[in-house]
Each structure stands twice: as structure tokens, then as C-alpha cells.
Amino acid sequence: FNENEIAYLPKLGYFKKNEPAFFEPIHIIENSNIEVFRHSINLLRNVFTDGSGNVIPDFDITFDNSLLEKNISYLTNAVSFIKEDSKEYYEIIEKCCKKILLFKTDPGNTNSFATIKAHGVAFFNVYQDDYDEVFFIDDIAHQTGHIILTTLFHNRKAIFKIDEEQNVEDLLKLKDHRTVYILLHALYTYYTTLLCLDNSLAKNRFNKRQEKEAIGRIGFYLNKCSNDLNRFEKINDLYSGIENVLTNEGKEIYDIIRQKYSEAVQKWQTTISGFDYNNQTYNFAFKNFDALNTLEKTQS
């Protein structure tokens, strides 16, 4: 039982202590096979850690049914949009991502994440009050991207020719504490996020405010992707070519990422070139973006 004396049985539902019948069923997102947890799960509690690896205290993090109630319509719509607009990618999502857990905490504690310690679960930090379908398309694509790549990389030596646990900082003498493995993970999530946002924009899924946010997020990730591609290319140069860094399977994934980046730059560069991201933090915040960028820029 969790702190509210609720126990969860997979595929069945939730029990309250000393009550013989289920008091809530599991929640499956409409027209999908993906479950959303209604309550905190004790067996998952240890994966909620801060940057130092310490478990985030109960008073500093929220898990409850109110998060599901507030966000489920947005989450359901986002899943539906990805399913219809990015069909091939969605098929992979359903194979690899079985469950979603919503939580709320200061991002200084942790961001949304996926982890091998709870493989197949996507964890979304819904700490901004204005999150809607655009955020969930972004975060679904991002976190399921991690889950999918972890699955693909179950045998890392089928992907990497070098030691993938080397730190980028040590290799390139730059301030970057990520490993080569994590760097490639980041690049793949830019690919999945750009893919899903771009496809849903093309299908006119959003109102004007959401359209501005979606395009703002695309520019935000293109900047990040550009920086990380540059770092990966420097690693390739360090080893005298990508053929000495990645296997053919690894190069295929890398080429897909580069191709999507190039397509997105060609499509959106004129629109996003004037955007100002100086007030953004690690996670995209639309209210910050909106304060510095006019709607007309998204329509140029």
C-alpha cells in the first residue's frame, strides 16, 4: 500500500486497505494500449531521484488522481494526434511504452524522464499549469524516444564501436557531463519530438496559441539538436570518422536523426530565425517564449 493506503494490481485496478473490492479500475488511454497510473506506486518510488541520486521527499513531489483528472483530456488528444499523424512512430511507441505516470515537482528536483529501472514507463512532470496537447505531444515523443532507444540499444556493442560510457567532457574538453551514449539518446529524442510536432502542425491540429507554442518548441529543439550534432561530429572527427564510432546499425539511426534535422531546418528556418530564446530554461516554457516573440513571427 502507498501512503494513502492504496494498492495497485497491474491489469486489474486499485484496492484500499481493508476494503474487499476494487475502488478504481486501471485507466487505459482511449483507443490505445497505454495505461496511465491513477496513484503513486510504491515499487516505482525509488526512481524519483534528484541530481545527486537522492530520492525526492514526499513533501516535495505530488502524485495523485487530480493530476490525471486535470491532464487526461490533453494527454488523450495528444496520443490520438500522434497515432493519426505519425503512424509509424506510434506503432513503435505502443510496442515499447506500456504505462505513463504523471507527477509534479520543481524541475530542479527532476524533469520528465524514462529509466531502465522502470523500463516501459514514461514519467511526465506536469509542473507548468498551462500544459496542454502541445506539451504532451512533445513529452510523449521525447520520453518514449528514450524508451525506444534503450530497447534498440539492449546490445550496445551492436551500435557503438567506441566505449559509449566515455564522457563528452573528457573527449572534447567542453563542459558537458553526458556520456556518448546519453548524447546519442538526446539526439534521438530531438528527432522524435521534431517528427511528432511537425506532423501534427501539418495536420492543423492546434489553435493559434498552440501553433505558436509548437513552432516555438521546434525552434527550441533545433537549436539544441544543432549543438549536439556539432558535438557528435567532433567526436567522429576525433576518431577519424563515424565509421570508427558507430556500427552500420548505429550509423543508420544517426543518419535518420541528421535527415530529420535538415528537413526541419529547411522548413522552419525562415520562421524561427527571429525568435528569441534568451529567457528559456532547460524545459521550454511557453509564457517565457510568448513574452519575447510576437504571433506574427510564426506566420511569416
Side-chain angles (χ1 to χ4, degrees):
F1 294 94
N2 66 16
E3 67 280 1
N4 296 318
E5 298 192 333
I6 295 170
Y8 164 77
L9 292 180
K11 301 183 181 180
L12 296 174
Y14 300 84
F15 275 104
K16 283 189 175 179
K17 199 168 187 177
N18 299 322
E19 294 185 11
F22 289 108
F23 87 99
E24 281 183 327
I26 63 171
H27 184 97
I28 302 294
I29 296 175
E30 186 178 343
N31 297 320
S32 83
N33 296 322
I34 303 170
E35 177 185 351
V36 185
F37 289 114
R38 293 179 179 272
H39 303 278
S40 64
I41 308 299
N42 275 5
L43 291 175
L44 295 176
R45 189 64 181 87
N46 69 321
V47 305
F48 290 89
T49 56
D50 60 23
S52 300
N54 301 312
V55 174
I56 299 167
D58 289 345
F59 62 80
D60 233 2
I61 192 167
T62 300
F63 314 92
D64 60 44
N65 201 33
S66 68
L67 296 179
L68 184 143
E69 292 173 353
K70 180 180 186 295
N71 293 285
I72 192 58
S73 63
Y74 303 133
L75 177 58
T76 301
N77 289 341
V79 169
S80 175
F81 294 164
I82 295 174
K83 183 176 183 178
E84 294 176 24
D85 305 338
S86 306
K87 294 179 181 178
E88 290 184 1
Y89 182 64
Y90 181 79
E91 289 175 2
I92 306 173
I93 289 176
E94 282 213 328
K95 290 179 180 178
C96 297
C97 179
K98 304 303 181 184
K99 301 175 192 290
I100 289 169
L101 195 154
L102 305 178
F103 68 98
K104 185 175 182 179
T105 190
D106 188 296
N109 295 322
T110 187
N111 295 302
S112 298
F113 65 94
T115 172
I116 190 66
K117 294 178 182 178
H119 189 52
V121 183
F123 299 87
F124 300 154
N125 186 1
V126 290
Y127 74 96
Q128 294 185 36
D129 290 333
D130 61 352
Y131 283 157
D132 57 16
E133 289 89 348
V134 179
F135 162 76
F136 280 111
I137 288 176
D138 179 333
D139 224 20
I140 291 166
H142 186 147
Q143 304 313 326
T144 62
H146 282 307
I147 295 169
I148 289 164
L149 210 64
T150 300
T151 306
L152 287 173
F153 287 6
H154 67 94
N155 176 11
R156 295 190 188 182
K157 293 310 172 189
I159 304 297
F160 296 94
K161 288 187 175 180
I162 64 171
D163 177 6
E164 74 281 1
E165 287 299 319
Q166 294 177 93
N167 287 328
V168 174
E169 187 171 53
D170 295 337
L171 290 172
L172 302 182
K173 311 306 177 187
L174 297 170
K175 188 178 179 180
D176 190 329
H177 300 310
R178 295 174 297 177
T179 64
V180 176
Y181 175 77
I182 292 173
L183 176 60
L184 191 54
H185 257 269
L187 285 167
Y188 187 75
T189 64
Y190 303 144
Y191 156 73
T192 58
T193 304
L194 291 169
L195 174 78
C196 292
L197 286 173
D198 197 7
N199 287 348
S200 289
L201 275 165
K203 292 293 183 69
N204 297 311
R205 297 293 188 182
F206 308 128
N207 60 37
K208 286 297 181 183
R209 190 206 68 81
Q210 291 177 315
E211 180 181 298
K212 179 178 181 179
E213 178 174 352
I215 297 172
R217 285 177 180 269
I218 285 175
F220 183 71
Y221 291 120
L222 283 175
N223 289 339
K224 284 177 173 273
C225 190
S226 176
N227 289 333
D228 283 354
L229 280 172
N230 181 262
R231 294 190 176 190
F232 209 93
E233 288 298 326
K234 287 182 178 179
I235 293 170
N236 292 337
D237 291 342
L238 188 67
Y239 283 92
S240 302
I242 191 172
E243 63 276 5
N244 298 315
V245 175
L246 299 175
T247 65
N248 288 336
E249 290 84 354
K251 285 191 290 182
E252 184 178 353
I253 293 168
Y254 187 70
D255 287 345
I256 289 171
I257 295 166
R258 285 186 56 84
Q259 180 179 348
K260 185 59 190 176
Y261 169 77
S262 297
E263 290 173 356
V265 167
Q266 185 174 4
K267 181 175 182 178
W268 293 108
Q269 187 59 40
T270 301
T271 302
I272 69 175
S273 59
F275 286 163
D276 187 342
Y277 291 100
N278 284 329
N279 63 352
Q280 287 295 329
T281 55
Y282 180 83
N283 298 300
F284 183 88
F286 178 67
K287 64 180 180 180
N288 293 1
F289 178 78
D290 195 39
L292 295 184
N293 299 281
T294 62
L295 183 62
E296 286 72 24
K297 288 182 180 178
T298 69
Q299 298 170 327
S300 60

